[in-house]
Amino acid sequence: MSQSDERKIICVDMDEVIADALSEHLSRYNRDFPEQLTVDDLHGRWLWDAVPPARVAALERYMLSDDFFAVLDVMPESQRVLERLQSRYDVFIATAAMEVPTSFNAKFQWLARHFPFIPTSRIVFCGDKGILRGDYLIDDNPRQLRLFRGEGILFSSPANVNVTGFRRVHNWLDVEKMFLE
Amino acid sequence: MSQSDERKIICVDMDEVIADALSEHLSRYNRDFPEQLTVDDLHGRWLWDAVPPARVAALERYMLSDDFFAVLDVMPESQRVLERLQSRYDVFIATAAMEVPTSFNAKFQWLARHFPFIPTSRIVFCGDKGILRGDYLIDDNPRQLRLFRGEGILFSSPANVNVTGFRRVHNWLDVEKMFLE
């Protein structure tokens, strides 16, 4: 079988792509502080840049708490579309867990619960997605998309609305159209 | 800069390559059972195949225990040679932690303690090393070397003495000669 006959590899990020971490962040932040931040406050900036510097540590603490990842909602349609993608592509979940090492096991358990059809051998925890040998990476983080050597597909999130230079998908229905139609 | 001018990427396995898991396995096994297995008993076979089937579960329990990875010895010369390799190559540590998900954090802490010069962004936990975009993978496991798309370098361990088809290194001095002389 020649290289070109092989199934293409699609790598998929976790946070803000299949796991709604932002909603949980906002909910915990608004419980502890008076600003009542909404998604609309985050257009074009990361949550870390939208809060006073003295409160960034609180955001980091949320992620370190044992129950943070366990309670995250699944992004709409991601389960159905990922399962469909598997019929035609080799799908890997690739998450930059190295910044929050206590999250490894919680993320692994979350995946087992919500995406049981993804073999554990197809899960990758890494810091630099440039190490992935994939054809596509679907990610909300332009920094990781730039490190990646295949084609980066930007998954829309409030923070990345102004980012250009990548094909963009707004949701999982867009992913389905791009890869399966 | 053309592709060929880039620094080559070397991926390095953990267990039996930089971390001496086998000695700890034997030590715990011989504490619990009467066989008094030695490294010589393992020539050409994996530890799992060298013990009675009823005792394989015990081997798995050792790895699940909180202190297993924490106490592993560093393989001789691996620290010095890995640090030297970093001057000329992009070095990633790639470990198949997915089979023992409770080991993520312990492995991460072990690396931070014994290999503090390796950035956390260069650590990869994965199940299938075929996903790595590296030029070389130094690993004792021929299954992972076959999945890998660059050149697999077989790091000698008692179990793999009869494996052929790869360039072989017996220890870290061999690695140093292969990549730095």
Side-chain angles (χ1 to χ4, degrees):
Chain A
M1 192 164 71
S2 80
Q3 197 82 6
S4 59
D5 292 336
E6 286 189 348
R7 284 158 64 101
K8 300 273 193 194
I9 295 174
I10 301 180
C11 300
V12 178
D13 178 36
M14 267 184 87
D15 294 346
E16 298 350 307
V17 175
I18 61 172
D20 185 0
L22 181 58
S23 294
E24 185 64 18
H25 261 304
L26 283 176
S27 146
R28 292 187 186 213
Y29 187 81
N30 289 332
R31 176 196 66 196
D32 294 347
F33 299 105
E35 283 119 297
Q36 298 310 306
L37 279 176
T38 68
V39 165
D40 287 336
D41 296 321
L42 300 176
H43 273 231
R45 54 186 186 165
W46 302 90
L47 179 55
W48 325 94
D49 301 322
V51 305
R55 293 178 182 170
V56 168
L59 295 176
E60 284 165 1
R61 265 201 313 280
Y62 300 147
M63 286 203 296
L64 292 172
S65 84
D66 280 344
D67 61 344
F68 183 83
F69 288 97
V71 301
L72 299 190
D73 283 336
V74 174
M75 296 293 265
E77 305 285 344
S78 59
Q79 290 154 310
R80 183 184 62 77
V81 175
L82 264 183
E83 193 157 17
R84 279 199 69 200
L85 282 177
Q86 281 191 317
S87 67
R88 210 182 297 175
Y89 300 89
D90 286 345
V91 175
F92 285 75
I93 303 296
T95 177
M98 296 303 155
E99 286 141 34
V100 192
T102 53
S103 72
F104 296 136
N105 206 21
K107 286 188 158 188
F108 191 83
Q109 299 305 334
W110 188 91
L111 284 169
R113 178 143 59 103
H114 297 290
F115 294 84
F117 52 86
I118 294 179
T120 59
S121 62
R122 295 281 170 90
I123 299 171
V124 185
F125 292 155
C126 60
D128 170 351
K129 295 187 186 174
I131 193 60
L132 301 172
R133 187 184 64 81
D135 297 287
Y136 304 98
L137 169 63
I138 302 173
D139 205 306
D140 68 309
N141 186 335
R143 188 176 65 82
Q144 294 289 0
L145 293 177
R146 281 181 209 111
L147 292 167
F148 181 68
R149 296 303 180 88
E151 183 186 350
I153 308 286
L154 185 67
F155 195 96
S156 286
S157 71
N160 73 27
V161 288
N162 300 321
V163 172
T164 56
F166 304 100
R167 280 204 284 172
R168 179 184 286 273
V169 287
H170 293 93
N171 51 50
W172 278 91
L173 297 179
D174 278 359
V175 175
E176 186 172 34
K177 270 188 219 131
M178 184 178 286
F179 288 101
L180 292 168
E181 275 177 17
Chain B
M1 191 164 70
S2 80
Q3 196 84 4
S4 59
D5 292 336
E6 286 189 349
R7 284 158 65 99
K8 300 273 192 192
I9 295 174
I10 301 181
C11 300
V12 177
D13 179 35
M14 268 184 87
D15 293 346
E16 298 351 306
V17 175
I18 62 172
D20 185 0
L22 181 59
S23 294
E24 185 63 19
H25 261 304
L26 283 176
S27 147
R28 294 189 184 211
Y29 188 82
N30 289 333
R31 179 195 64 198
D32 294 348
F33 300 106
E35 283 120 294
Q36 298 312 303
L37 278 176
T38 69
V39 165
D40 287 336
D41 296 321
L42 300 176
H43 273 231
R45 53 186 185 164
W46 301 90
L47 181 53
W48 325 94
D49 301 322
V51 305
R55 293 177 182 170
V56 168
L59 295 175
E60 285 165 1
R61 265 200 313 279
Y62 301 146
M63 287 203 295
L64 292 172
S65 85
D66 280 343
D67 61 345
F68 183 82
F69 288 96
V71 301
L72 299 191
D73 283 335
V74 174
M75 296 294 263
E77 304 287 343
S78 59
Q79 289 154 311
R80 184 185 61 77
V81 176
L82 264 183
E83 192 156 18
R84 278 199 70 201
L85 281 177
Q86 281 192 317
S87 67
R88 211 183 296 174
Y89 300 88
D90 287 344
V91 175
F92 285 75
I93 304 296
T95 178
M98 296 303 154
E99 286 141 34
V100 192
T102 52
S103 71
F104 296 136
N105 206 21
K107 286 188 158 190
F108 191 82
Q109 299 304 333
W110 187 92
L111 284 169
R113 177 143 60 103
H114 297 291
F115 294 84
F117 52 85
I118 293 178
T120 58
S121 61
R122 294 280 171 92
I123 299 171
V124 184
F125 293 155
C126 59
D128 171 352
K129 295 188 186 173
I131 193 61
L132 300 171
R133 187 183 64 82
D135 297 288
Y136 304 98
L137 169 64
I138 302 173
D139 204 306
D140 68 310
N141 186 335
R143 188 177 64 83
Q144 293 290 359
L145 293 177
R146 282 183 208 109
L147 292 167
F148 182 66
R149 295 303 179 89
E151 183 185 349
I153 308 286
L154 186 67
F155 194 95
S156 285
S157 71
N160 72 30
V161 289
N162 300 321
V163 172
T164 57
F166 305 100
R167 280 205 284 172
R168 177 185 287 272
V169 288
H170 293 93
N171 51 50
W172 278 91
L173 297 179
D174 278 0
V175 176
E176 186 170 34
K177 270 187 220 128
M178 185 178 285
F179 288 101
L180 293 168
E181 276 178 17

